[in-house]
Amino acid sequence: MKRSALVLFSGGQDSTTCLAHALQRYERVETLSFDYGQRHRVELDARRHVLRELRAAFPVWAARLGEDHLLDLSVLGQVSETSLTRDVAFQMETSGLPNTFVPGRNLLFLTLAAALAYRRGLEVVVTGVCETDYSGYPDCRDDTIKALQVALSLGLDRRTVLETPLMWLDKAQTWQLAHELGGTALVDLILEHSHTCYAGDRSQRHAWGYGCGQCPACELRARGWQQYAAEG
Ligand code: ZN
């Protein structure tokens, strides 16, 4: 029985749901994110707000929630030119991938997370990657994660578990999972405080939360919410 986890936590809907999943399951949970010159500091602000609200609304989880880590990964800006780190508009590339794609980014994130988990004595790394409802990032695929888990276990000479609770869920099912974990209070918290929009827009509040309503992240979130709300 594993007892502790490190959650890759960006402050979005998916990673907030993963954090709740870990807090439900493990006695000690720490969080990790990366600062790589995101165009929108709003994402880093969302993290702080979500952590604060989770602590306030869920005392049992608050007792389990430990240190929050933020690693400087500005080097990513040196190896990639994407709409996440540069001031260019979101678009699809000829490769069929969106220009938010940073080659190998998730491999790097998970490798650093495993190294940090090793040092902190945390047994599981939890990440919100998802193959079902996604832009097709190849380093979020189940096969990639499983291969990396093997590589990390060998390279660290310690069993490394990469847990992916959302891998086969669509966005409506992710809302459903949030409801199962923390009821309406958690769903409302995610709606109000998590941030997904690529454009960093928090000026408009929709039924599904804040965002520009136009970018692919907003479209996905809105569609998932509408489906979830219709089923509920
Ligand atoms: Zn948006």
Side-chain angles (χ1 to χ4, degrees):
M1 187 66 190
K2 304 273 190 247
R3 290 193 316 238
S4 59
L6 178 65
V7 180
L8 274 88
F9 174 60
S10 68
Q13 176 192 350
D14 289 350
S15 68
T16 302
T17 307
C18 282
L19 178 54
H21 159 92
L23 288 166
Q24 186 84 301
R25 203 178 171 104
Y26 301 110
E27 291 166 12
R28 185 162 68 96
V29 175
E30 299 187 6
T31 46
L32 166 65
S33 190
F34 303 96
D35 186 356
Y36 49 100
Q38 284 102 323
R39 285 194 304 161
H40 307 294
R41 309 297 302 176
V42 67
E43 290 178 20
L44 296 177
D45 292 342
R47 297 180 79 249
R48 288 205 319 273
H49 297 155
V50 168
L51 289 174
R52 183 194 64 213
E53 297 295 320
L54 276 175
R55 282 198 170 92
F58 300 93
V60 175
W61 292 355
R64 297 175 170 185
L65 192 52
E67 209 167 305
D68 179 36
H69 309 269
L70 184 65
L71 297 183
D72 175 9
L73 216 53
S74 49
V75 65
L76 264 188
Q78 291 175 258
V79 296
S80 66
E81 293 209 21
T82 86
S83 70
L84 287 182
T85 53
R86 303 288 163 94
D87 197 14
V88 295
F90 177 91
Q91 61 179 42
M92 294 302 285
E93 304 281 8
T94 48
S95 63
L97 288 166
N99 66 348
T100 48
F101 176 63
V102 181
R105 181 179 64 171
N106 205 45
L107 299 174
L108 203 53
F109 284 2
L110 286 167
T111 302
L112 288 167
L116 182 65
Y118 186 101
R119 179 166 68 75
R120 301 287 300 164
L122 300 165
E123 298 161 288
V124 178
V125 172
V126 182
T127 169
V129 292
C130 168
E131 187 164 323
T132 310
D133 215 7
Y134 214 66
S135 315
Y137 296 158
D139 56 351
C140 292
R141 289 181 191 145
D142 194 48
D143 282 355
T144 307
I145 302 298
K146 288 198 165 78
L148 186 59
Q149 178 171 283
V150 172
L152 289 168
S153 295
L154 290 170
L156 297 172
D157 198 19
R158 198 186 74 161
R159 169 94 173 125
T160 302
V161 180
L162 302 179
E163 195 169 273
T164 56
L166 310 185
M167 182 58 80
W168 307 112
L169 303 186
D170 63 25
K171 280 282 186 284
Q173 290 168 319
T174 301
W175 285 113
Q176 183 57 44
L177 175 61
H179 191 266
E180 285 162 21
L181 290 165
T184 310
L186 182 61
V187 171
D188 289 347
L189 189 159
I190 293 172
L191 279 175
E192 194 62 29
H193 297 286
S194 75
H195 182 85
T196 315
C197 174
Y198 287 148
D201 186 342
R202 289 190 72 78
S203 64
Q204 304 170 66
R205 173 63 154 88
H206 312 266
W208 43 267
Y210 292 92
C212 71
Q214 309 292 324
C215 75
C218 280
E219 282 177 8
L220 204 56
R221 179 163 164 154
R223 206 162 50 237
W225 173 259
Q226 279 147 14
Q227 196 187 331
Y228 166 73
E231 286 163 0

